[in-house]
Amino acid sequence: MTTAVLRSARAGAILTTLGLSLGLMTGIAEAGPPRDRQCTSPIFLGGSEQWRDLNQRYDVRERIIGPPAPATDDIPDPPGGPGCRTALPGEKWVRAVPPWITASATEQAAFLANFKSARYVIDAGTAHERSITAGPEILQSGTIPGDVLPPETRGLPYVVPVSPVFRPLRPGTHTSTLFVTMNERVCTGRGPAPGLSADCLEAGESAYPIIDNGPFTVLTGPPPPPYDAVP
């Protein structure tokens, strides 16, 4: 059984245990047919394409929503300027956030050990508000490459929640807010990571401290390729 299948199976088991709705979620982001989507990280410069491109870094074939810049390469002139905040109609999507970068493996391990869940609130305060909760299976971790900018992040450990795959949204403007629940207070040990406004997360639920968490747009127009169709 592949790692991707195991991740999906674990996610389904946890959600079934919690009694959560799958109305907006289709599973864990996983590898699939050759992708024509690319979301370039606005936080790190340099390094390999496999690092700069969040679709490759996190092994996601669906549309990534989150980073404000520099560009979503397959949608010309996206509304509101360049950035990974535009989706085509009918597309499944994944929410990406800046990684939690720590001073050492000790703080990274503390985050991993104390992370309980992530709650994604879509279109908060509207008639279409939805909340989707996922567990530790969505976490990805690693080490920042040694050839990226800013240089002070090189070689540091990181951990990041990469959302499950969400079902398509109707055309128009949408919001997505991430809340994380920790068993105990955790800190980076080095100050806030690029793109984040805080270096500690308190015990219990709190908003993941993204500096720029602006809205995103789903366009009108033709549907995406068939492999992105809703089952």
Side-chain angles (χ1 to χ4, degrees), residues 101 188-193 198-199:
I101 300 174
T188 65
R190 62 173 300 275
D199 60 349

Side-chain angles (χ1 to χ4, degrees), residues 43-47 101 144-156 190 194:
I43 294 175
F44 300 100
L45 302 176
I101 300 174
I144 307 294
D147 57 351
V148 304
L149 299 174
E152 62 269 19
T153 65
R154 294 173 181 170
L156 293 178
R190 62 173 300 275

Side-chain angles (χ1 to χ4, degrees), residues 43 97-101 111 159-161 178 188 190-201 207-212:
I43 294 175
V97 298
W100 188 260
I101 300 174
F111 187 105
V159 57
V160 60
L178 170 60
T188 65
R190 62 173 300 275
L196 300 179
S197 61
D199 60 349
C200 292
L201 293 169
Y208 194 72
I210 304 169
I211 292 174
D212 186 345

Side-chain angles (χ1 to χ4, degrees), residues 12-58:
I14 290 171
L15 288 165
T16 301
T17 301
L18 294 174
L20 297 172
S21 169
L22 293 179
L24 281 178
M25 199 173 79
T26 66
I28 296 297
E30 59 186 51
R35 35 172 115 77
D36 58 0
R37 294 155 182 78
Q38 182 182 62
C39 175
T40 304
S41 171
I43 294 175
F44 300 100
L45 302 176
S48 67
E49 179 184 348
Q50 287 73 25
W51 174 258
R52 295 191 308 272
D53 174 10
L54 298 188
N55 285 85
Q56 294 188 58
R57 185 194 304 177
Y58 299 138

Side-chain angles (χ1 to χ4, degrees), residues 12-146:
I14 290 171
L15 288 165
T16 301
T17 301
L18 294 174
L20 297 172
S21 169
L22 293 179
L24 281 178
M25 199 173 79
T26 66
I28 296 297
E30 59 186 51
R35 35 172 115 77
D36 58 0
R37 294 155 182 78
Q38 182 182 62
C39 175
T40 304
S41 171
I43 294 175
F44 300 100
L45 302 176
S48 67
E49 179 184 348
Q50 287 73 25
W51 174 258
R52 295 191 308 272
D53 174 10
L54 298 188
N55 285 85
Q56 294 188 58
R57 185 194 304 177
Y58 299 138
D59 196 16
V60 173
R61 70 183 177 96
E62 294 82 9
R63 175 72 60 192
I64 284 182
I65 293 293
T72 298
D73 69 341
D74 65 316
I75 300 178
D77 301 321
C84 302
R85 291 185 175 172
T86 308
L88 298 176
E91 281 191 311
K92 298 175 185 179
W93 57 286
V94 168
R95 181 69 162 95
V97 298
W100 188 260
I101 300 174
T102 61
S104 71
T106 300
E107 293 85 3
Q108 181 192 51
F111 187 105
L112 291 167
N114 285 287
F115 180 90
K116 183 177 181 181
S117 62
R119 184 167 66 94
Y120 295 86
V121 180
I122 299 170
D123 293 335
T126 73
H128 301 283
E129 178 177 328
R130 296 291 186 274
S131 181
I132 301 95
T133 301
E137 73 280 352
I138 68 170
L139 295 180
Q140 296 194 29
S141 59
T143 302
I144 307 294

